[in-house]
Amino acid sequence: QIGTAADFWGDIPYSEANDPAIATPRLDPQLEVYAAIQGVLDAAIGNLAAGVGAGPGSKDLVYQGNAARWTQLAYTLKARYYMHVAEVDASAYALAKAAAALGISSHANDYTTVHAGTAGEENLWHQFIVRERTEYISPGAYLIELMKSRSEPRLPEYFTEGATNEYLGAEPGEGYTSSLSNLSDERLDPSFSQPIVSYDENALIWAEAAYRTADEITALSKLNEVRTHHGLPAIVAAGPTLFSEIMIEKYISLFQSLEVWNDWKRTCIPDMTPALGAAIIPARFFYPTDERQTNTNVPAVEAQPLRNPNDPANAGCNSQN
């Protein structure tokens, strides 16, 4: 996915990437790639409204050809990518708020993966944890302890108890032991539908964007919609406390989503510690080795930045600068 590639690496091949006559496509600036994504999403929304093309119909495994659901997904993605540029363009918050208002309107419209559960068609986490790399990784202590401290009803939805009948996560750098929790049976089910873009994400983008545009009433309302759906009581909060609650709720709700990393880079929430005594938590990925070896436009490691253009250094994030 182009947006995710831009999130990871910043400047990436895009405008020349599919031209067979160009063996070494240039790197398009990250912010231009995000703008191009917005253009593609706008075109998709226009085509869906106009009924252009027959579409896949029943062969559409997620939405069964429902144009309204695809349109909502497109608006949520627009809101997502507006948030990805908001550090360098504060006007993006208002655009994200407007897009989220037209985005995924219910959990029934979540965009999720579809798996038959048969060999080779299992949920990715089942393949990774159960079939291929048992005892390779463990859930992190930060999230588990956070959920315990908040009496989170989703704790057993996400994790199992360890051998000591407790929910325990691994500290940074800690290896697997049987006392640590694992992903829940639900999350490891071969046919589990992994959320990719969800109502929770849309509502909490809406909440943050509303807060950033001085609309705390809407921000609190959207936060409490998500909390209520997950069996949590509505809260009353304002100012920095409200903002923190929005981002912590998003951190929990988007478990296993790459978006929590993008949120952390933008907001410094949650306040995390690097693993193994490292100086920083990565804010950017280095280009893959095979990409550097085959495309002369990709800079050497020592010439690459530590941060992407959409994410300038933020003094509020400990261990990130």
Side-chain angles (χ1 to χ4, degrees):
Q1 194 211 64
I2 296 299
T4 301
D7 297 337
F8 283 173
W9 295 294
D11 301 350
I12 57 170
Y14 179 69
S15 60
E16 297 179 348
N18 290 326
D19 188 336
I22 300 176
T24 56
R26 70 182 181 90
L27 305 185
D28 292 281
Q30 183 197 39
L31 297 178
E32 291 183 14
V33 174
Y34 284 139
I37 290 171
Q38 293 289 354
V40 170
L41 290 168
D42 285 337
I45 290 167
N47 288 338
L48 286 163
V52 175
S58 61
K59 293 181 174 62
D60 172 2
L61 299 181
V62 182
Y63 288 151
Q64 292 75 53
N66 186 305
R69 290 183 172 186
W70 278 106
T71 299
Q72 288 187 12
L73 171 65
Y75 275 113
T76 296
L77 288 173
K78 283 180 67 64
R80 175 190 285 186
Y81 290 113
Y82 282 134
M83 297 303 278
H84 288 194
V85 302
E87 278 188 77
V88 294
D89 180 6
S91 68
Y93 288 120
L95 295 171
K97 181 183 176 185
L102 299 171
I104 295 175
S105 60
S106 72
H107 288 278
N109 293 348
D110 287 355
Y111 188 84
T112 65
T113 59
V114 177
H115 303 281
T118 54
E121 297 185 22
E122 308 102 324
N123 156 29
L124 178 63
W125 284 95
H126 173 90
Q127 294 186 42
F128 188 88
I129 299 287
V130 176
R131 195 177 73 192
E132 297 179 2
R133 292 177 174 85
T134 301
E135 303 180 1
Y136 186 77
I137 59 174
S138 297
Y142 185 94
L143 176 59
I144 288 181
E145 293 306 315
L146 175 66
M147 295 180 76
K148 286 161 64 175
S149 72
R150 295 164 67 91
S151 300
E152 259 289 343
R154 286 169 284 188
L155 192 59
E157 295 177 21
Y158 291 178
F159 305 111
T160 61
E161 295 176 339
T164 59
N165 298 318
E166 297 178 87
Y167 291 103
L168 294 174
E171 297 293 343
E174 182 181 2
Y176 169 86
T177 70
S178 63
S179 65
L180 297 174
S181 295
N182 200 348
L183 291 179
S184 67
D185 292 342
E186 177 184 1
R187 291 273 167 161
L188 289 179
D189 187 284
S191 59
F192 177 72
S193 294
Q194 193 74 36
I196 303 298
V197 189
S198 67
Y199 171 77
D200 283 349
E201 180 183 354
N202 189 80
L204 293 166
I205 288 174
W206 194 344
E208 183 190 351
Y211 177 85
R212 301 278 198 173
T213 53
D215 181 5
E216 291 196 14
I217 292 174
T218 299
L220 181 61
S221 173
K222 303 315 292 186
L223 168 62
N224 280 329
E225 279 184 25
V226 175
R227 288 179 58 86
T228 301
H229 176 82
H230 292 295
L232 293 163
I235 64 169
V236 176
T241 299
L242 172 58
F243 177 64
S244 179
E245 285 295 327
I246 291 168
M247 300 318 303
I248 290 295
E249 179 58 42
K250 196 175 179 192
Y251 177 68
I252 294 171
S253 293
L254 270 61
F255 174 57
Q256 294 182 306
S257 169
L258 294 170
E259 281 307 296
V260 299
W261 179 62
N262 289 307
D263 289 340
W264 174 78
K265 290 186 294 176
R266 184 178 66 256
T267 69
C268 309
I269 300 173
D271 183 11
M272 296 185 290
T273 302
L276 298 174
I280 63 169
I281 296 172
R284 179 190 177 272
F285 284 53
F286 288 117
Y287 293 110
T289 301
D290 57 354
E291 196 70 18
R292 288 191 291 109
Q293 291 176 338
T294 56
N295 187 347
T296 54
N297 291 310
V298 176
V301 170
E302 60 272 16
Q304 295 178 35
L306 293 178
R307 312 181 69 85
N308 286 323
N310 72 322
D311 179 41
N314 187 333
C317 291
N318 74 355
S319 63
Q320 186 183 273
N321 297 292

